[in-house]
Amino acid sequence: MTGSYVFSVSFGTGCYRHIRIAKRKTLRTFHKAITGAFGIPDGLMYAFFMNNCAWDNTAGYYGSAMPDVTNPTADEVRLVDFGLLKDSRFLYIYDFRQEKRFTVKLLKELPEDTEKPVVLRAKGEFLVESRTEPEHPLFEDVTAERNSLIDLYATAAVHLYGMLPVETFCKIFNSHGNEPLEEAEAAQTLQKFAGREYVIFEDKLVFAAGENVPALVEALEKQTAGKPRYVPNSKETFLEHTNMYYTDVPELMEQVHEFIAGVLKNKNEATLLLGEFMQMLRLDYPLQEFAGLLADYRSTPETREEGERFFALVIEAKNNSRIWANKGFTPRELAVLMRNAPKNIGRNDPCPCGSGKKYKKCCGK
């Protein structure tokens, strides 16, 4: 297999490298190209998650053999083995202790081969964090545990909502019985961890969408205006959303995955495409946008029955997916809420969702 790929490998916002590498090279060679491009000392554990979902071992390829992981190691698979297409995304995680996450996106394919990986463009400085031991271990351990919890909540929040005010984030955090979080502490901690899954933009916590963050905020402010907010009742349920591809209807997503795999005859491509499918649901793409989703992957003509089955699955999935534009509610849930809500509900009135709380402290947040 001749030819090469050009990947964008980014760490947070404003720090990235464009790397050209031969298609025939292994993931291990790509790992070495990434560490070299960012000036990272090699030698620590790493993994690639080819479905863009961290720690999902069904699509995880580690630098060395791992218990309960059946996939080959990174030096046993080549980049070309994954059927990557333009704009395909996956994750590279380096240093499992500090968990440095890099987003990888395929920018283009070139017909020419290249013997060694080449860095075509570099922007931003990658800073290696200190590993010095804390002066007061007990205090630092407690602080680290709390900061980690805040970080997990923030990750779950942007996956569920896309964007929310830091003030609202604190209210959600406190509503689950955690030690109270004030805005000042939240802002300081969130800024420290920002860049991997989320960023702070003005007074808002926002999904890390790079240069598209301002446009995302503007769009969501318009789309969510006047809508109530879905808030899971328990900490455990809320934190399920730290997995970007968590869904309340896994059986439905399994049906979608099975359908796509049946059409493409390729499980790895189906898994990658399912991730894109779920992100389109979260962003509430119009129905017609899903029509071309399979077009670039398939080699056989679409039949009428196949098209009808796919659109039936899309409609059912859209109705049952938690959507950013609905502040986390599914379209079906929001329709019921709005139909049952009093037309002139006051902030101190009981919330129409039936929680028993005042509207201002529940869906009216």
Side-chain angles (χ1 to χ4, degrees), residues 139-173:
F139 174 76
E140 289 290 342
D141 285 348
V142 172
T143 302
E145 183 178 347
R146 179 165 173 80
N147 287 349
S148 177
L149 181 61
I150 295 171
D151 179 44
L152 286 174
Y153 258 85
T155 299
V158 294
H159 289 168
L160 183 56
Y161 306 122
M163 174 273 292
L164 74 166
V166 172
E167 178 186 6
T168 303
F169 170 76
C170 292
K171 290 178 180 178
I172 293 173
F173 184 91

Side-chain angles (χ1 to χ4, degrees), residues 154 157-158 162-166 169 190 198-200 203-207:
V158 294
M163 174 273 292
L164 74 166
V166 172
F169 170 76
L190 294 173
Y198 55 84
V199 295
I200 301 299
D203 61 345
K204 298 175 181 65
L205 179 64
V206 189
F207 181 78

Side-chain angles (χ1 to χ4, degrees), residues 207-261:
F207 181 78
E211 61 185 16
N212 295 320
V213 164
L216 177 63
V217 170
E218 182 180 1
L220 287 178
E221 284 182 333
K222 292 178 181 177
Q223 294 166 353
T224 60
K227 295 179 181 178
R229 185 180 301 280
Y230 164 75
V231 180
N233 291 326
S234 70
K235 171 181 178 179
E236 292 72 23
T237 305
F238 189 85
L239 291 180
E240 292 278 13
H241 293 277
T242 53
N243 176 356
M244 186 172 184
Y245 297 106
Y246 171 76
T247 173
D248 296 343
V249 285
E251 64 285 350
L252 178 56
M253 289 305 129
E254 287 173 9
Q255 291 178 38
V256 175
H257 185 264
E258 289 176 5
F259 176 85
I260 295 174

Side-chain angles (χ1 to χ4, degrees), residues 235-303:
K235 171 181 178 179
E236 292 72 23
T237 305
F238 189 85
L239 291 180
E240 292 278 13
H241 293 277
T242 53
N243 176 356
M244 186 172 184
Y245 297 106
Y246 171 76
T247 173
D248 296 343
V249 285
E251 64 285 350
L252 178 56
M253 289 305 129
E254 287 173 9
Q255 291 178 38
V256 175
H257 185 264
E258 289 176 5
F259 176 85
I260 295 174
V263 170
L264 303 183
K265 313 299 183 187
N266 185 310
K267 187 176 180 181
N268 284 335
E269 286 186 358
T271 301
L272 288 169
L273 199 59
L274 180 66
E276 185 177 347
F277 179 90
M278 295 178 73
Q279 185 66 356
M280 290 172 69
L281 292 173
R282 187 178 289 110
L283 293 173
D284 198 21
Y285 272 54
L287 189 62
Q288 59 268 26
E289 292 288 336
F290 288 83
L293 194 59
L294 298 175
D296 294 334
Y297 289 79
R298 59 182 309 132
S299 57
T300 57
E302 176 184 318
T303 65

